[in-house]
mmCIF file of all heavy atoms in Angstrom:
data_model
loop_
_atom_site.group_PDB
_atom_site.id
_atom_site.type_symbol
_atom_site.label_atom_id
_atom_site.label_comp_id
_atom_site.label_asym_id
_atom_site.label_seq_id
_atom_site.Cartn_x
_atom_site.Cartn_y
_atom_site.Cartn_z
ATOM 1 N N GLU A 1 46.931 -57.065 -136.884
ATOM 2 C CA GLU A 1 46.806 -57.823 -135.640
ATOM 3 C C GLU A 1 47.630 -59.108 -135.679
ATOM 4 O O GLU A 1 48.334 -59.437 -134.720
ATOM 5 C CB GLU A 1 45.342 -58.140 -135.346
ATOM 6 C CG GLU A 1 45.152 -58.848 -134.025
ATOM 7 C CD GLU A 1 43.703 -59.174 -133.702
ATOM 8 O OE1 GLU A 1 42.871 -59.221 -134.626
ATOM 9 O OE2 GLU A 1 43.422 -59.394 -132.519
ATOM 10 N N GLU A 2 47.554 -59.862 -136.764
ATOM 11 C CA GLU A 2 48.316 -61.115 -136.877
ATOM 12 C C GLU A 2 49.816 -60.842 -136.785
ATOM 13 O O GLU A 2 50.535 -61.542 -136.060
ATOM 14 C CB GLU A 2 48.007 -61.828 -138.204
ATOM 15 C CG GLU A 2 46.689 -62.556 -138.237
ATOM 16 C CD GLU A 2 46.707 -63.900 -137.538
ATOM 17 O OE1 GLU A 2 47.046 -64.921 -138.163
ATOM 18 O OE2 GLU A 2 46.362 -63.928 -136.353
ATOM 19 N N LEU A 3 50.276 -59.818 -137.501
ATOM 20 C CA LEU A 3 51.691 -59.452 -137.454
ATOM 21 C C LEU A 3 52.075 -59.035 -136.031
ATOM 22 O O LEU A 3 53.115 -59.453 -135.511
ATOM 23 C CB LEU A 3 51.991 -58.326 -138.441
ATOM 24 C CG LEU A 3 53.430 -57.813 -138.452
ATOM 25 C CD1 LEU A 3 54.398 -58.918 -138.877
ATOM 26 C CD2 LEU A 3 53.552 -56.615 -139.384
ATOM 27 N N GLY A 4 51.228 -58.245 -135.402
ATOM 28 C CA GLY A 4 51.491 -57.799 -134.038
ATOM 29 C C GLY A 4 51.534 -58.941 -133.046
ATOM 30 O O GLY A 4 52.434 -59.005 -132.193
ATOM 31 N N ILE A 5 50.587 -59.864 -133.152
ATOM 32 C CA ILE A 5 50.579 -61.019 -132.240
ATOM 33 C C ILE A 5 51.833 -61.866 -132.453
ATOM 34 O O ILE A 5 52.478 -62.288 -131.495
ATOM 35 C CB ILE A 5 49.298 -61.858 -132.407
ATOM 36 C CG1 ILE A 5 48.104 -61.105 -131.825
ATOM 37 C CG2 ILE A 5 49.431 -63.219 -131.726
ATOM 38 C CD1 ILE A 5 46.787 -61.800 -132.021
ATOM 39 N N TRP A 6 52.177 -62.085 -133.706
ATOM 40 C CA TRP A 6 53.382 -62.856 -133.999
ATOM 41 C C TRP A 6 54.616 -62.168 -133.396
ATOM 42 O O TRP A 6 55.453 -62.826 -132.766
ATOM 43 C CB TRP A 6 53.542 -63.031 -135.516
ATOM 44 C CG TRP A 6 54.856 -63.665 -135.871
ATOM 45 C CD1 TRP A 6 55.175 -64.985 -135.773
ATOM 46 C CD2 TRP A 6 56.011 -62.995 -136.341
ATOM 47 N NE1 TRP A 6 56.477 -65.187 -136.172
ATOM 48 C CE2 TRP A 6 57.005 -63.974 -136.525
ATOM 49 C CE3 TRP A 6 56.312 -61.670 -136.643
ATOM 50 C CZ2 TRP A 6 58.287 -63.655 -136.985
ATOM 51 C CZ3 TRP A 6 57.577 -61.356 -137.101
ATOM 52 C CH2 TRP A 6 58.550 -62.345 -137.268
ATOM 53 N N LEU A 7 54.710 -60.843 -133.565
ATOM 54 C CA LEU A 7 55.850 -60.114 -132.998
ATOM 55 C C LEU A 7 55.886 -60.230 -131.473
ATOM 56 O O LEU A 7 56.940 -60.513 -130.888
ATOM 57 C CB LEU A 7 55.795 -58.635 -133.400
ATOM 58 C CG LEU A 7 56.172 -58.318 -134.838
ATOM 59 C CD1 LEU A 7 55.859 -56.858 -135.177
ATOM 60 C CD2 LEU A 7 57.647 -58.606 -135.084
ATOM 61 N N PHE A 8 54.729 -60.028 -130.832
ATOM 62 C CA PHE A 8 54.685 -60.118 -129.371
ATOM 63 C C PHE A 8 55.006 -61.528 -128.873
ATOM 64 O O PHE A 8 55.780 -61.702 -127.937
ATOM 65 C CB PHE A 8 53.307 -59.700 -128.835
ATOM 66 C CG PHE A 8 53.144 -58.220 -128.668
ATOM 67 C CD1 PHE A 8 52.393 -57.486 -129.575
ATOM 68 C CD2 PHE A 8 53.735 -57.559 -127.603
ATOM 69 C CE1 PHE A 8 52.236 -56.122 -129.423
ATOM 70 C CE2 PHE A 8 53.583 -56.191 -127.439
ATOM 71 C CZ PHE A 8 52.834 -55.461 -128.356
ATOM 72 N N VAL A 9 54.389 -62.535 -129.508
ATOM 73 C CA VAL A 9 54.517 -63.905 -129.002
ATOM 74 C C VAL A 9 55.863 -64.528 -129.374
ATOM 75 O O VAL A 9 56.575 -65.051 -128.511
ATOM 76 C CB VAL A 9 53.347 -64.787 -129.495
ATOM 77 C CG1 VAL A 9 53.560 -66.248 -129.139
ATOM 78 C CG2 VAL A 9 52.039 -64.283 -128.899
ATOM 79 N N ASP A 10 56.222 -64.483 -130.638
ATOM 80 C CA ASP A 10 57.434 -65.180 -131.076
ATOM 81 C C ASP A 10 58.700 -64.338 -130.962
ATOM 82 O O ASP A 10 59.751 -64.851 -130.600
ATOM 83 C CB ASP A 10 57.278 -65.671 -132.516
ATOM 84 C CG ASP A 10 56.340 -66.854 -132.621
ATOM 85 O OD1 ASP A 10 56.092 -67.507 -131.593
ATOM 86 O OD2 ASP A 10 55.851 -67.125 -133.725
ATOM 87 N N VAL A 11 58.636 -63.076 -131.282
ATOM 88 C CA VAL A 11 59.835 -62.243 -131.270
ATOM 89 C C VAL A 11 60.120 -61.696 -129.873
ATOM 90 O O VAL A 11 61.250 -61.745 -129.389
ATOM 91 C CB VAL A 11 59.722 -61.092 -132.305
ATOM 92 C CG1 VAL A 11 60.931 -60.176 -132.254
ATOM 93 C CG2 VAL A 11 59.536 -61.665 -133.711
ATOM 94 N N LEU A 12 59.088 -61.188 -129.202
ATOM 95 C CA LEU A 12 59.271 -60.601 -127.876
ATOM 96 C C LEU A 12 59.008 -61.582 -126.740
ATOM 97 O O LEU A 12 59.052 -61.208 -125.572
ATOM 98 C CB LEU A 12 58.374 -59.363 -127.727
ATOM 99 C CG LEU A 12 58.631 -58.244 -128.739
ATOM 100 C CD1 LEU A 12 57.604 -57.133 -128.580
ATOM 101 C CD2 LEU A 12 60.051 -57.697 -128.592
ATOM 102 N N SER A 13 58.688 -62.828 -127.081
ATOM 103 C CA SER A 13 58.505 -63.923 -126.110
ATOM 104 C C SER A 13 57.368 -63.706 -125.103
ATOM 105 O O SER A 13 57.423 -64.205 -123.981
ATOM 106 C CB SER A 13 59.814 -64.188 -125.346
ATOM 107 O OG SER A 13 60.843 -64.514 -126.243
ATOM 108 N N PHE A 14 56.329 -62.984 -125.504
ATOM 109 C CA PHE A 14 55.173 -62.811 -124.626
ATOM 110 C C PHE A 14 54.455 -64.136 -124.392
ATOM 111 O O PHE A 14 53.792 -64.305 -123.381
ATOM 112 C CB PHE A 14 54.166 -61.817 -125.236
ATOM 113 C CG PHE A 14 54.369 -60.401 -124.802
ATOM 114 C CD1 PHE A 14 55.601 -59.776 -124.939
ATOM 115 C CD2 PHE A 14 53.321 -59.672 -124.270
ATOM 116 C CE1 PHE A 14 55.787 -58.474 -124.556
ATOM 117 C CE2 PHE A 14 53.498 -58.361 -123.874
ATOM 118 C CZ PHE A 14 54.740 -57.756 -124.020
ATOM 119 N N GLY A 15 54.591 -65.077 -125.324
ATOM 120 C CA GLY A 15 53.929 -66.367 -125.199
ATOM 121 C C GLY A 15 54.419 -67.158 -123.996
ATOM 122 O O GLY A 15 53.729 -68.044 -123.506
ATOM 123 N N GLU A 16 55.603 -66.830 -123.518
ATOM 124 C CA GLU A 16 56.167 -67.536 -122.369
ATOM 125 C C GLU A 16 55.710 -66.932 -121.046
ATOM 126 O O GLU A 16 56.008 -67.453 -119.990
ATOM 127 C CB GLU A 16 57.693 -67.491 -122.449
ATOM 128 C CG GLU A 16 58.225 -68.177 -123.690
ATOM 129 C CD GLU A 16 59.704 -67.886 -123.923
ATOM 130 O OE1 GLU A 16 60.349 -67.279 -123.044
ATOM 131 O OE2 GLU A 16 60.195 -68.259 -124.998
ATOM 132 N N ARG A 17 55.001 -65.818 -121.108
ATOM 133 C CA ARG A 17 54.582 -65.126 -119.892
ATOM 134 C C ARG A 17 53.095 -65.366 -119.619
ATOM 135 O O ARG A 17 52.302 -65.508 -120.533
ATOM 136 C CB ARG A 17 54.839 -63.637 -120.025
ATOM 137 C CG ARG A 17 56.321 -63.293 -120.111
ATOM 138 C CD ARG A 17 56.514 -61.820 -120.438
ATOM 139 N NE ARG A 17 57.897 -61.399 -120.399
ATOM 140 C CZ ARG A 17 58.767 -61.629 -121.371
ATOM 141 N NH1 ARG A 17 58.405 -62.285 -122.447
ATOM 142 N NH2 ARG A 17 60.000 -61.199 -121.271
ATOM 143 N N ALA A 18 52.761 -65.363 -118.347
ATOM 144 C CA ALA A 18 51.360 -65.466 -117.927
ATOM 145 C C ALA A 18 51.274 -64.959 -116.493
ATOM 146 O O ALA A 18 52.248 -65.007 -115.741
ATOM 147 C CB ALA A 18 50.871 -66.902 -117.998
ATOM 148 N N PHE A 19 50.118 -64.431 -116.145
ATOM 149 C CA PHE A 19 49.896 -64.010 -114.766
ATOM 150 C C PHE A 19 48.443 -64.270 -114.404
ATOM 151 O O PHE A 19 47.603 -64.466 -115.273
ATOM 152 C CB PHE A 19 50.297 -62.542 -114.537
ATOM 153 C CG PHE A 19 49.622 -61.562 -115.431
ATOM 154 C CD1 PHE A 19 48.466 -60.907 -115.019
ATOM 155 C CD2 PHE A 19 50.124 -61.276 -116.694
ATOM 156 C CE1 PHE A 19 47.836 -59.999 -115.837
ATOM 157 C CE2 PHE A 19 49.498 -60.366 -117.520
ATOM 158 C CZ PHE A 19 48.352 -59.721 -117.093
ATOM 159 N N THR A 20 48.192 -64.300 -113.096
ATOM 160 C CA THR A 20 46.862 -64.645 -112.612
ATOM 161 C C THR A 20 46.253 -63.454 -111.877
ATOM 162 O O THR A 20 46.901 -62.840 -111.037
ATOM 163 C CB THR A 20 46.935 -65.854 -111.666
ATOM 164 O OG1 THR A 20 47.571 -66.927 -112.364
ATOM 165 C CG2 THR A 20 45.561 -66.289 -111.210
ATOM 166 N N ILE A 21 45.013 -63.133 -112.239
ATOM 167 C CA ILE A 21 44.247 -62.078 -111.577
ATOM 168 C C ILE A 21 42.900 -62.673 -111.189
ATOM 169 O O ILE A 21 42.188 -63.202 -112.043
ATOM 170 C CB ILE A 21 44.028 -60.859 -112.492
ATOM 171 C CG1 ILE A 21 45.353 -60.235 -112.898
ATOM 172 C CG2 ILE A 21 43.140 -59.829 -111.823
ATOM 173 C CD1 ILE A 21 45.220 -59.065 -113.846
ATOM 174 N N PHE A 22 42.568 -62.577 -109.917
ATOM 175 C CA PHE A 22 41.294 -63.079 -109.406
ATOM 176 C C PHE A 22 41.026 -64.526 -109.828
ATOM 177 O O PHE A 22 39.911 -64.896 -110.180
ATOM 178 C CB PHE A 22 40.126 -62.188 -109.842
ATOM 179 C CG PHE A 22 40.281 -60.753 -109.448
ATOM 180 C CD1 PHE A 22 40.386 -59.768 -110.411
ATOM 181 C CD2 PHE A 22 40.331 -60.383 -108.114
ATOM 182 C CE1 PHE A 22 40.534 -58.436 -110.061
ATOM 183 C CE2 PHE A 22 40.479 -59.049 -107.749
ATOM 184 C CZ PHE A 22 40.584 -58.072 -108.717
ATOM 185 N N GLY A 23 42.084 -65.321 -109.862
ATOM 186 C CA GLY A 23 41.940 -66.731 -110.195
ATOM 187 C C GLY A 23 41.939 -67.036 -111.686
ATOM 188 O O GLY A 23 41.858 -68.191 -112.077
ATOM 189 N N PHE A 24 42.023 -66.018 -112.517
ATOM 190 C CA PHE A 24 42.055 -66.220 -113.969
ATOM 191 C C PHE A 24 43.484 -66.050 -114.468
ATOM 192 O O PHE A 24 44.132 -65.050 -114.166
ATOM 193 C CB PHE A 24 41.160 -65.214 -114.692
ATOM 194 C CG PHE A 24 39.697 -65.402 -114.432
ATOM 195 C CD1 PHE A 24 39.033 -64.585 -113.532
ATOM 196 C CD2 PHE A 24 38.984 -66.386 -115.083
ATOM 197 C CE1 PHE A 24 37.687 -64.747 -113.279
ATOM 198 C CE2 PHE A 24 37.634 -66.569 -114.841
ATOM 199 C CZ PHE A 24 36.986 -65.750 -113.940
ATOM 200 N N THR A 25 43.947 -67.006 -115.244
ATOM 201 C CA THR A 25 45.287 -66.908 -115.823
ATOM 202 C C THR A 25 45.179 -66.169 -117.150
ATOM 203 O O THR A 25 44.380 -66.521 -118.013
ATOM 204 C CB THR A 25 45.888 -68.306 -116.044
ATOM 205 O OG1 THR A 25 45.965 -68.954 -114.783
ATOM 206 C CG2 THR A 25 47.263 -68.217 -116.670
ATOM 207 N N ILE A 26 45.989 -65.142 -117.273
ATOM 208 C CA ILE A 26 46.018 -64.349 -118.498
ATOM 209 C C ILE A 26 47.367 -64.591 -119.163
ATOM 210 O O ILE A 26 48.419 -64.314 -118.574
ATOM 211 C CB ILE A 26 45.801 -62.855 -118.202
ATOM 212 C CG1 ILE A 26 44.448 -62.667 -117.514
ATOM 213 C CG2 ILE A 26 45.902 -62.034 -119.478
ATOM 214 C CD1 ILE A 26 44.166 -61.277 -117.047
ATOM 215 N N THR A 27 47.316 -65.114 -120.382
ATOM 216 C CA THR A 27 48.545 -65.447 -121.103
ATOM 217 C C THR A 27 49.105 -64.217 -121.804
ATOM 218 O O THR A 27 48.411 -63.221 -122.013
ATOM 219 C CB THR A 27 48.277 -66.527 -122.161
ATOM 220 O OG1 THR A 27 47.404 -65.992 -123.156
ATOM 221 C CG2 THR A 27 47.675 -67.787 -121.549
ATOM 222 N N GLY A 28 50.355 -64.321 -122.188
ATOM 223 C CA GLY A 28 50.994 -63.259 -122.959
ATOM 224 C C GLY A 28 50.304 -63.039 -124.291
ATOM 225 O O GLY A 28 50.249 -61.919 -124.805
ATOM 226 N N GLN A 29 49.750 -64.107 -124.850
ATOM 227 C CA GLN A 29 48.998 -63.979 -126.106
ATOM 228 C C GLN A 29 47.794 -63.067 -125.914
ATOM 229 O O GLN A 29 47.503 -62.220 -126.757
ATOM 230 C CB GLN A 29 48.540 -65.349 -126.601
ATOM 231 C CG GLN A 29 49.668 -66.251 -127.002
ATOM 232 C CD GLN A 29 49.199 -67.658 -127.310
ATOM 233 O OE1 GLN A 29 48.019 -67.979 -127.203
ATOM 234 N NE2 GLN A 29 50.131 -68.510 -127.687
ATOM 235 N N MET A 30 47.091 -63.230 -124.787
ATOM 236 C CA MET A 30 45.906 -62.422 -124.530
ATOM 237 C C MET A 30 46.300 -60.972 -124.251
ATOM 238 O O MET A 30 45.604 -60.050 -124.679
ATOM 239 C CB MET A 30 45.096 -63.009 -123.373
ATOM 240 C CG MET A 30 43.699 -62.465 -123.283
ATOM 241 S SD MET A 30 42.690 -62.654 -124.794
ATOM 242 C CE MET A 30 42.099 -64.310 -124.621
ATOM 243 N N VAL A 31 47.416 -60.755 -123.560
ATOM 244 C CA VAL A 31 47.903 -59.392 -123.328
ATOM 245 C C VAL A 31 48.175 -58.716 -124.669
ATOM 246 O O VAL A 31 47.797 -57.560 -124.889
ATOM 247 C CB VAL A 31 49.168 -59.393 -122.435
ATOM 248 C CG1 VAL A 31 49.797 -58.009 -122.372
ATOM 249 C CG2 VAL A 31 48.829 -59.896 -121.040
ATOM 250 N N ALA A 32 48.810 -59.435 -125.573
ATOM 251 C CA ALA A 32 49.091 -58.900 -126.908
ATOM 252 C C ALA A 32 47.789 -58.572 -127.640
ATOM 253 O O ALA A 32 47.669 -57.517 -128.279
ATOM 254 C CB ALA A 32 49.919 -59.897 -127.717
ATOM 255 N N LYS A 33 46.791 -59.454 -127.541
ATOM 256 C CA LYS A 33 45.502 -59.210 -128.202
ATOM 257 C C LYS A 33 44.822 -57.960 -127.647
ATOM 258 O O LYS A 33 44.242 -57.184 -128.403
ATOM 259 C CB LYS A 33 44.561 -60.417 -128.052
ATOM 260 C CG LYS A 33 44.802 -61.475 -129.103
ATOM 261 C CD LYS A 33 43.724 -62.514 -129.129
ATOM 262 C CE LYS A 33 42.395 -62.072 -129.640
ATOM 263 N NZ LYS A 33 42.320 -61.648 -131.035
ATOM 264 N N VAL A 34 44.904 -57.757 -126.341
ATOM 265 C CA VAL A 34 44.281 -56.570 -125.735
ATOM 266 C C VAL A 34 44.945 -55.302 -126.261
ATOM 267 O O VAL A 34 44.267 -54.357 -126.682
ATOM 268 C CB VAL A 34 44.356 -56.637 -124.189
ATOM 269 C CG1 VAL A 34 43.966 -55.305 -123.562
ATOM 270 C CG2 VAL A 34 43.479 -57.756 -123.661
ATOM 271 N N PHE A 35 46.259 -55.276 -126.249
ATOM 272 C CA PHE A 35 46.996 -54.116 -126.746
ATOM 273 C C PHE A 35 46.662 -53.836 -128.210
ATOM 274 O O PHE A 35 46.353 -52.705 -128.600
ATOM 275 C CB PHE A 35 48.507 -54.340 -126.571
ATOM 276 C CG PHE A 35 49.343 -53.256 -127.170
ATOM 277 C CD1 PHE A 35 49.456 -52.025 -126.540
ATOM 278 C CD2 PHE A 35 50.011 -53.457 -128.370
ATOM 279 C CE1 PHE A 35 50.227 -51.004 -127.101
ATOM 280 C CE2 PHE A 35 50.780 -52.452 -128.939
ATOM 281 C CZ PHE A 35 50.882 -51.226 -128.302
ATOM 282 N N LEU A 36 46.687 -54.875 -129.019
ATOM 283 C CA LEU A 36 46.426 -54.720 -130.446
ATOM 284 C C LEU A 36 44.956 -54.407 -130.734
ATOM 285 O O LEU A 36 44.648 -53.754 -131.725
ATOM 286 C CB LEU A 36 46.874 -55.969 -131.200
ATOM 287 C CG LEU A 36 48.391 -56.146 -131.226
ATOM 288 C CD1 LEU A 36 48.766 -57.568 -131.582
ATOM 289 C CD2 LEU A 36 49.031 -55.148 -132.166
ATOM 290 N N ALA A 37 44.055 -54.847 -129.869
ATOM 291 C CA ALA A 37 42.624 -54.569 -130.061
ATOM 292 C C ALA A 37 42.356 -53.069 -130.078
ATOM 293 O O ALA A 37 41.527 -52.589 -130.853
ATOM 294 C CB ALA A 37 41.795 -55.245 -128.977
#
């Protein structure tokens, strides 16, 4: 999981992305955590 999050956030730049659903902001870090979970 740590390796995957690092790859998504730092290598694939998911950390720079975010979107809002029903007023909640979901960061790229959280998207990576869901996938890796």
Side-chain angles (χ1 to χ4, degrees):
E1 184 180 21
E2 283 281 272
L3 178 63
I5 288 176
W6 173 78
L7 285 171
F8 276 104
V9 172
D10 287 341
V11 177
L12 300 175
S13 302
F14 268 54
E16 298 168 8
R17 294 172 174 79
F19 56 95
T20 304
I21 299 178
F22 304 116
F24 292 101
T25 300
I26 301 174
T27 65
Q29 294 172 359
M30 195 56 83
V31 171
K33 276 191 70 64
V34 169
F35 175 75
L36 291 162

